[in-house]
Every structure is written in C-alpha cells, then in structure tokens.
Amino acid sequence: MTKEHYRHVYVVIEHIDGELLPVSFEMLGEARRLFDDFNRRYDLNEKVVAVILGHNIKNLSETLIEHGADAVVVADHQDLKDLINTIHTKVISQISLSKEIAEKIEPNYSQEFKKPRYMFFAADSIGRHLSSTVLADLDSGLASDVNKLVISDLDISHFVKTGGKRIMYKKTLEMYRVDFSGFLWTTILCLDNRNEKLSIREYSPQSCNVIPGAFKPLKPDSKRSGVVIDFQPKVSDDDLKIKVLSQKFVEDKVDFDSYNTVVSFGRGIHEAPEKNIKLIEEFAKQLGAQIGISLPISKSVFSASPTISSTYMIPARVIGTSGKEISPMLYVAIGISGAMQHVSGMEESGFIIAINPDENAPIKNVCDIFLKGRLEEVIPLLMEELKIQQQVVQA
Ligand SMILES: Cc1cc2nc3c(=O)[nH]c(=O)nc-3n(C[C@H](O)[C@H](O)[C@H](O)COP(=O)(O)OP(=O)(O)OC[C@H]3O[C@@H](n4cnc5c(N)ncnc54)[C@H](O)[C@@H]3O)c2cc1C
C-alpha cells in the first residue's frame, strides 16, 4: 500500500482582516524548502498549496505565491469574514477532499487524489483549535507545537503498526517537538497501519501545527508564478447559527519594545515567591527595566497575592516560543534554567546576565555573565552596587 492517493502539502494561511500573519509566511517558507527537496528526490508534480479563507482576500494570493506557494486556493465569501471554527473547519475539509481543486493544482493526480499528503497549521490560538477539528473531520492524526520538519523514507518495525515486520514508510513527515521541560526532542510520525493481523488503514494527511517563529519566511520573489483557484464554499443555514456581532482586538498588556533592559524570573523564586517577586520588582525599577517571566510562572505554579499574581504571573509576560521574542540591550535571567523554548525568545539580546546557583544550568551556555548564587543573596548585592554607581554618575 502506498500513500499515492495523497498529494501535495496544504498550508492553512492565517490573517486578521486581510493582514497576513508572519506565521503564514514562515509555514510557506518551510513548506517550500521541504518541497524543493521533495520535488528533486521524488516527484516534480507535487505542490505547495496555500489555503486561505475570508472575505475580500483574493488580492493576497500574489503575496502568497511570492512567498513560496505553487497554488493558492481562495475561499472568498462573506460568510467566512469572521473566524467561526465550525464553518472554517467545514470549508477547509471541503477543500482538502475536493478532486476538482486537485485537478487544478495538478491534473496528473486528480483521479487518484483522496486527500492532501501533508497539512500545516499555525500553533497559535486560531490554528491549534482549527487543526484539531479539521483533522478530526479528515480522520487523521495531528502533531502539535512542532518546530522542526523532515521528510524521509523510514525503515520501521513496530509491534502494532507493522506486526513486528520491517516495512519501508516512504515520504514520511518527521515532526519534531520539544518535551519534558524542553530537554528532549520527540519525533512524531503519522504512520499507516500495515499489520495484516490487526487492521490495514491509511492515515493522511500527515499534519501538524507549527510554532510561530520556528521557521524563517522566504524573501518574497515577484518572479515566482502560481495558480490561483477559487473555491465556492458550501455553507448551510445551520452553519450560520452563530453570528459574530462585533470583535475587538486586545492590545498587548505588556510593552517590551520601549525598554532597553528586561529582567525575567523563573521557578528559581520558589523559596518565597511573593517576597522574591517584590525584590525583583525593586531591582527592575532601579534598572528601569520591564519584567518578563518563564512559561511555568504564568501557569499558577506558585501562589502569591492577587496584586502580584495579576501583574506578573500572566501569559503576556512570557518570554519564549509560547510568548514574546525580544532583544533588549540587557537581559537578566533570574532563576531560569535556560530551556530552549525560553532561550529562543531572548538569545538575540545584546548582553545577557544569569543569576542561578546551578552552574550546570543550560542558561550558562547562553549568557555573557553567569552569577553563581541564590537570587535572594545576589540581587541585594547588585542593588547596593548599582546604587553606588548611580550616585557616582549623578555626582
Ligand atoms: C511546547 C512548549 C513550549 C514552551 N514555551 C515556553 C516559553 O515560551 N517560555 C518558557 O520560558 N518556557 C517554555 N516552555 C517550558 C520550558 O520547556 C521550561 O519548562 C521552562 O522554561 C522552565 O522554566 P524555569 O527556567 O523557570 O524553571 P526550571 O527549569 O525549573 O528552572 C529553575 C531554575 O532556577 C534555579 N534556582 C533554584 N533556586 C534558585 C534561587 N534561589 N535563585 C536563583 N535561581 C534558582 C534552578 O537552578 C533552575 O535552573 C515550553 C515548553 C513546551 C513543551
């Protein structure tokens, strides 16, 4: 059995009121890089297909082609103006199963086409939800929060999937994500059941949602060409029961851009969370710094007074792949171990200081100065010295 009923990579594009989100370009860039290689190794006629839904969005097709798409499927309809999950799920599934669309993408495969070979969504609040409902509809699997992708032929022996026999799974999408606090990579594969003793079943598309910022977009190339395919969505009155009457975009609660210095803290505050956060607050004030946090702090792992928790233990302050990517002139990491998801959000900082008693913490490999010690002891010393230096400057 082969996956030849399954063709192309479909990339589900995100935009807000016609403004394409950076993650859309990042996914297209990665799909293009993977498919340049795929086209060389396997099949020249499989394509990168951008799928975009909305109202008055057809004008975005050229931009998507310039960023790597061979084909853009546009569902431009007033019922798709607002992002309602049930309707978008239905329309993306219709597009994914459509032989007519497959024919326009690549006539060679239209007869045998069943579904896309691969599908990419964004791992943000829209894409995470949408990817799960679309893949449930398409009856296949989904890997979440992926930040590395490889397509390869894998020789696999698995008790359930292959009945212990060695079987070659061609054109398999290896989807990598970080697990166990960021210290281990997990590879997720969406494999067909080929164990004759149990059940034979194909799983396609092989799909994932990818973390914003994980991949680089391509430089737009106006010489690139591609096909634009209009799709008329089939939406029933029943689907339109939910109406969006108004929507409001919430501004970022925390401004990092206007600060040259960011002081972030992590689980190292554990001995006395409230007291330590107040100490860090004072230190940041002295430095004129904004305050960031590691992800666990936003998950209520420690209790603190309502004022402290509502000000500091909030997602808007998270630095890293699940939060903000920042590059201040000075970044101070207090009680943060340096998991890769955190580091990817601050490694571009001009100068990095870490305060940590554990000299084996990975943050040591990232920082310019490692202050070995407990924050409770190191910060007061730094504050004392800063006070002296500031007095000297003022005198
Ligand atoms: C999909 C995914 C996305 C993620 N996204 C993010 C993200 O965007 N941002 C993020 O931060 N994390 C993210 N994480 C979590 C990440 O993997 C780590 O679990 C997290 O960054 C660890 O937080 P930490 O450094 O505060 O805690 P820990 O890893 O527990 O480190 C605490 C550190 O404090 C030190 N310490 C202990 N006592 C003291 C003391 N008295 N003074 C000073 N230091 C002390 C310890 O030596 C230790 O190094 C993500 C994880 C996943 C799976």
Side-chain angles (χ1 to χ4, degrees):
M1 200 184 313
T2 65
K3 291 228 178 205
E4 301 312 313
H5 295 303
Y6 309 104
R7 298 286 183 176
H8 317 301
V9 54
Y10 283 27
V11 179
V12 177
I13 299 299
E14 285 193 10
H15 64 94
I16 292 180
D17 284 344
E19 195 170 322
L20 291 161
L21 300 190
V23 67
S24 299
F25 297 125
E26 293 159 15
M27 289 190 291
L28 273 183
E30 184 60 10
R32 181 74 272 149
R33 274 184 287 272
L34 286 168
F35 262 57
D36 282 347
D37 186 44
F38 185 100
N39 294 150
R40 257 192 309 273
R41 279 195 290 154
Y42 303 112
D43 186 343
L44 279 172
N45 296 320
E46 293 212 26
K47 313 284 186 200
V48 173
V49 181
V51 175
I52 182 162
L53 279 59
H55 188 39
N56 295 331
I57 38 109
K58 200 170 172 194
N59 60 320
L60 301 176
S61 308
E62 279 312 309
T63 312
L64 297 172
I65 291 168
E66 286 174 8
H67 281 82
D70 297 308
V72 182
V73 181
V74 187
D76 194 327
H77 195 278
Q78 62 182 13
D79 293 341
L80 300 174
K81 181 173 173 293
D82 300 308
L83 203 147
I84 297 172
N85 181 273
T86 44
I87 302 180
H88 279 237
T89 298
K90 194 168 185 177
V91 175
I92 293 170
S93 300
Q94 289 167 0
I95 291 171
S96 305
L97 297 170
S98 166
K99 277 198 191 330
E100 291 77 48
I101 288 178
E103 164 128 44
K104 289 176 187 159
I105 296 170
E106 173 50 57
N108 277 336
Y109 309 130
S110 58
Q111 287 318 306
E112 64 190 35
F113 179 90
K114 279 191 184 166
K115 293 181 202 170
R117 186 187 290 282
Y118 313 117
M119 271 183 104
F120 299 167
F121 296 78
D124 56 17
S125 52
I126 299 169
R128 281 198 179 106
H129 189 190
L130 198 55
S131 54
S132 63
T133 47
V134 169
L135 266 298
D137 228 27
L138 296 178
D139 207 13
S140 188
L142 173 75
S144 280
D145 297 332
V146 164
N147 61 6
K148 184 178 162 191
L149 291 162
V150 176
I151 296 171
S152 56
D153 298 338
L154 297 176
D155 186 11
I156 287 179
S157 160
H158 187 269
F159 180 67
V160 176
K161 292 274 176 187
T162 72
K165 280 195 253 167
R166 296 189 81 87
I167 293 185
M168 183 64 78
Y169 283 81
K170 294 208 157 209
K171 302 167 193 163
T172 300
L173 185 64
E174 296 178 38
M175 300 172 275
Y176 291 78
R177 52 165 283 151
V178 275
D179 272 311
F180 297 103
S181 292
F183 298 109
L184 199 74
W185 285 84
T186 309
T187 314
I188 299 175
L189 308 175
C190 179
L191 300 175
D192 298 339
N193 283 351
R194 298 194 191 164
N195 181 352
E196 281 146 16
K197 290 195 191 114
L198 291 174
S199 65
I200 300 288
R201 185 187 182 302
E202 293 177 336
Y203 286 96
S204 278
Q206 302 172 60
S207 309
C208 60
N209 56 52
V210 303
I211 292 199
F215 299 115
K216 289 213 163 20
L218 295 182
K219 280 207 180 104
D221 178 356
S222 56
K223 290 194 210 83
R224 282 187 50 81
S225 60
V227 50
V228 178
I229 302 161
D230 287 314
F231 178 74
Q232 271 307 315
K234 294 161 203 75
V235 179
S236 66
D237 287 347
D238 229 29
D239 300 322
L240 297 170
K241 272 190 210 149
I242 299 170
K243 296 225 179 304
V244 176
L245 300 179
S246 71
Q247 60 180 0
K248 191 170 134 202
F249 291 99
V250 182
E251 293 275 320
D252 269 354
K253 276 197 199 142
V254 181
D255 166 29
F256 285 103
D257 295 339
S258 324
Y259 289 81
N260 288 331
T261 304
V262 171
V263 168
S264 288
F265 64 88
R267 279 200 283 224
I269 60 161
H270 64 111
E271 284 178 29
E274 175 95 15
K275 196 166 153 212
N276 283 339
I277 295 173
K278 283 189 173 153
L279 179 65
I280 291 162
E281 191 181 36
E282 234 186 292
F283 179 47
K285 202 166 162 197
Q286 199 181 4
L287 282 171
Q290 182 55 281
I291 295 183
I293 56 171
S294 66
L295 183 69
I297 300 296
S298 70
K299 307 268 185 199
S300 308
V301 285
F302 301 120
S303 56
S305 64
T307 317
I308 287 291
S309 55
S310 65
T311 311
Y312 295 114
M313 297 167 155
I314 54 171
R317 290 193 187 270
V318 172
I319 306 299
T321 50
S322 312
K324 296 271 161 45
E325 204 174 299
I326 56 169
S327 48
M329 278 165 68
L330 174 63
Y331 187 84
V332 189
I334 302 171
I336 291 176
S337 57
M340 64 173 84
Q341 299 94 337
H342 185 84
V343 168
S344 76
M346 45 63 79
E347 63 192 335
E348 297 299 319
S349 305
F351 199 83
I352 299 168
I353 300 175
I355 303 171
N356 199 310
D358 176 11
E359 61 182 290
N360 293 317
I363 194 77
K364 187 156 178 256
N365 303 322
V366 183
C367 65
D368 298 285
I369 295 181
F370 183 80
L371 296 173
K372 184 180 171 189
R374 297 169 65 249
L375 69 92
E376 295 86 342
E377 285 147 26
V378 176
I379 293 179
L381 292 176
L382 285 177
M383 287 176 72
E384 196 52 45
E385 188 57 32
L386 261 175
K387 207 162 135 192
I388 296 168
Q389 296 300 328
Q390 283 166 345
Q391 277 163 357
V392 171
V393 172
Q394 275 161 15

